[in-house]
Amino acid sequence: MSTRELVVLGTASQVPTRHRNQNGYLLRWDGEGILFDPGEGTQRQMLRAGVAATDVTRLCVTHFHGDHSLGLSGVIQRLSLDKVRHPVHAHFPASGAHYFERLRHATAFYETADLREHPIAEDGPIASGKFALEARRLSHPVEAFGYRLTEPDGRTMLPERLKERGIEGPDVGRLQGEGRLGDVTLEDVSTHRPGQRFAFVMDTRLCDNVYALAEHADLLVIEATFLAEDTQLARDFGHLTAQQAARVAAESRVRRLVLTHFSQRYADPARFLEEAKAEFDGDIVVAEDLERVQVPKRRSSPGGHPAP
């Protein structure tokens, strides 16, 4: 059975607190494990959350401020220590390639893992296959990119219709591959399956690409460093408020909103939820360390029924 969930490893912004580690987010998406922005302490948080180094198939870094990248050294070394056999693809801003190199080789270790670097220089697709992964530039004092995962639409076979037409065994696969088997088309025995979308938006001011990344996301993970009372501070330092993040979710028709990357100046996380609820009437999660957030079930098919 496929698993699609976000494992929250850390939710603090610039510095950790007693209750919040620096950033770290693992997206489990079927057989993939995409680790976003591993800040300091990520390796220990992975242990506490039950995430193994062998679970990681991709590293995605939005930018090279320490709270989003200082955990890279430990995670990269752990890949070799735990003898991860599959390739691990690393995506990061090309302008920070020298930082990635320093973090990758920060100390002496015996590197055996197959870590493949993919520096990002411009907006666009960065990976494809069972899903498409793209990056878009954000607005922050250093170059930063957000990420968007898009699963292609598909078809779900309907067993009762297959049975009615006497189609079974290898013929099912042939019909799926060719789209037709005799007089029976794929549409006759299947239903539309909408693809799912995930977006990851960290340190940024409001800009067009924030909306482009968030558009129709089933799960949007987005920074909410400040509250609306500090909107000017957010703008000055290249961040969002909870109010702005919630408006993005509302205007982009997001289904589940995950707020994170909180400034240590605020002691009460309930204030972020209160502010977001005033702008967005969908599902809101104010992220906590070690929390698991499920990707919502698929959107309804055109016929109005939940897609399998």
Side-chain angles (χ1 to χ4, degrees):
M1 184 175 179
S2 64
T3 298
R4 295 185 179 181
E5 67 174 5
L6 179 77
V7 183
V8 180
L9 302 173
T11 57
S13 55
Q14 189 174 31
V15 297
T17 71
R18 291 185 178 185
H19 305 290
R20 295 187 182 276
N21 198 75
Q22 282 191 341
N23 288 281
Y25 312 86
L26 181 88
L27 177 67
R28 296 188 188 274
W29 192 277
D30 301 341
E32 291 256 6
I34 307 175
L35 181 59
F36 293 92
D37 281 6
E40 184 180 351
T42 292
Q43 198 176 173
R44 185 168 184 271
Q45 293 295 93
M46 288 170 62
L47 178 65
R48 296 180 68 199
V51 174
T54 52
D55 294 334
V56 178
T57 59
R58 292 185 188 273
L59 295 169
C60 289
V61 179
T62 59
H63 65 292
F64 285 99
H65 277 154
D67 54 323
H68 297 260
S69 62
L70 281 175
L72 279 169
S73 297
V75 171
I76 289 172
Q77 292 189 25
R78 190 62 178 269
L79 297 175
S80 290
L81 181 65
D82 287 5
K83 297 180 174 57
V84 173
R85 298 184 180 278
H86 54 257
V88 176
H89 301 269
H91 308 276
F92 53 86
S95 61
H98 55 298
Y99 294 123
F100 189 89
E101 180 66 18
R102 292 172 189 170
L103 289 163
R104 181 173 182 174
H105 299 291
T107 65
F109 74 106
Y110 185 51
E111 186 173 25
T112 60
D114 182 5
L115 182 62
R116 304 180 184 182
E117 299 181 16
H118 304 281
I120 304 167
E122 58 187 17
D123 293 359
I126 57 175
S128 60
K130 293 182 179 179
F131 56 75
L133 190 64
E134 65 177 297
R136 287 181 179 265
R137 185 175 280 102
L138 298 172
S139 175
H140 198 52
V142 300
E143 187 172 50
F145 286 87
Y147 294 93
R148 177 179 171 88
L149 182 155
T150 304
E151 178 189 34
D153 291 352
R155 307 288 304 182
T156 296
M157 306 303 287
L158 300 174
E160 66 279 6
R161 294 190 187 177
L162 289 169
K163 185 177 180 180
E164 287 173 3
R165 290 162 173 77
I167 300 173
E168 59 184 9
D171 284 341
V172 176
R174 190 172 300 115
L175 176 58
Q176 287 177 306
E178 299 176 7
R180 176 181 288 274
L181 187 67
D183 295 332
V184 179
T185 67
L186 182 60
E187 289 73 18
D188 292 333
V189 292
S190 66
T191 186
H192 177 257
R193 185 182 68 233
Q196 293 191 301
R197 302 170 181 86
F198 167 85
F200 188 81
V201 178
M202 281 295 116
D203 299 18
T204 184
R205 303 175 184 90
L206 279 179
C207 62
D208 289 345
N209 276 342
V210 170
Y211 293 93
L213 290 163
E215 183 181 6
H216 287 98
D218 294 279
L219 186 66
L220 168 64
V221 180
I222 188 168
E223 69 124 313
T225 309
F226 294 99
L227 292 171
E229 65 197 46
D230 293 312
T231 298
Q232 188 58 52
L233 273 179
R235 185 179 299 113
D236 291 345
F237 290 98
H239 287 289
L240 297 173
T241 66
Q243 181 183 70
Q244 290 171 329
R247 284 179 182 169
V248 168
E251 294 178 22
S252 303
R253 298 184 181 180
V254 167
R255 298 179 65 205
R256 181 165 293 161
L257 169 65
V258 179
L259 301 176
T260 187
H261 194 271
F262 307 112
S263 170
Q264 67 272 22
R265 70 176 55 226
Y266 308 109
D268 184 6
R271 297 181 64 195
F272 289 89
L273 179 60
E274 180 182 353
E275 187 167 295
K277 278 185 171 180
E279 303 293 335
F280 177 61
D281 62 2
D283 190 5
I284 303 171
V285 177
V286 177
E288 294 286 347
D289 287 21
L290 307 181
E291 184 173 10
R292 279 175 155 76
V293 181
Q294 301 301 312
V295 176
K297 292 183 178 180
R298 296 182 187 277
R299 297 174 187 268
S300 296
S301 62
H305 302 290

